[in-house]
Amino acid sequence: MYSEKVMDHFSNPRNVGEIENADGVGEVGNASCGDIMKISLKIEGDVIKDIKFKTFGCGAAIATSSMVTEMAMDKTLDEALQLTNAAVADALDGLPGNKMHCSNLAADALHEAIKNYREKQG
Ligand code: FES
C-alpha cells in the first residue's frame, strides 16, 4: 500500500523536533482527522539553514513532514515556497489516494512558517 520511501521516512523520520528561538513557525491542522503539524525554521540571509517538524498524526503525515524538511533544507525562501503538496507526495513515490490529503499538511506548514518569518521581519 505504501512505497518504500514512505515506509522509510515513517520509520526513520528526519529532522524531528523543534528549533529553539525559531525564526519562523508554522502550524496547520486537518479538521477532518484532527492531525496537527508544526514546522520551525532557522533562517540565515534568505536561506533555510535548519528545519524541524513535530507531527501528531498518521504515518503518511509523518512521512510527508519528514520529506518536506529534507526538500526545504538549504533552499531560499522563494524556492521553498514553490514546494507543493503534490511535489512532496511525488518525492515519496506517491501516496495511496485516500492518504493524499495527509500530504496537504506538509507544504502548508512550511509555507505558514515562511509567512510567519516574513511577518516578523515586517
Ligand atoms: Fe490525518 Fe493523515 S489521517 S493527516
Side-chain angles (χ1 to χ4, degrees):
M1 176 178 172
Y2 289 113
S3 73
E4 272 178 37
K5 278 193 192 166
V6 171
M7 291 312 291
D8 176 36
H9 279 265
F10 168 62
S11 315
N12 180 26
R14 283 55 146 187
N15 306 308
V16 178
E18 202 162 351
I19 296 173
E20 242 180 84
N21 301 318
D23 297 315
V25 177
E27 188 171 315
V28 294
N30 181 314
S32 59
C33 66
D35 291 353
I36 294 172
M37 185 182 299
K38 187 173 181 180
I39 280 189
S40 52
L41 301 174
K42 197 83 206 157
I43 294 165
E44 280 171 31
D46 202 29
V47 175
I48 296 175
K49 278 299 174 192
D50 199 10
I51 173 167
K52 291 200 185 301
F53 81 89
K54 267 191 174 171
T55 294
F56 300 92
C58 70
I62 289 168
T64 54
S65 312
S66 170
M67 180 52 90
V68 84
T69 62
E70 285 210 318
M71 293 171 85
M73 191 79 83
D74 292 321
K75 292 262 192 321
T76 66
L77 298 181
D78 284 339
E79 285 168 344
L81 281 172
Q82 308 282 325
L83 285 174
T84 62
N85 303 313
V88 176
D90 280 354
L92 287 165
D93 291 338
L95 285 168
N98 64 346
K99 284 285 174 184
M100 275 306 286
H101 75 276
C102 311
S103 72
N104 290 343
L105 292 179
D108 288 354
L110 171 65
H111 296 171
E112 282 299 314
I114 294 171
K115 204 169 114 194
N116 174 249
Y117 167 73
R118 287 191 162 158
E119 278 167 6
K120 284 205 259 181
Q121 299 297 299

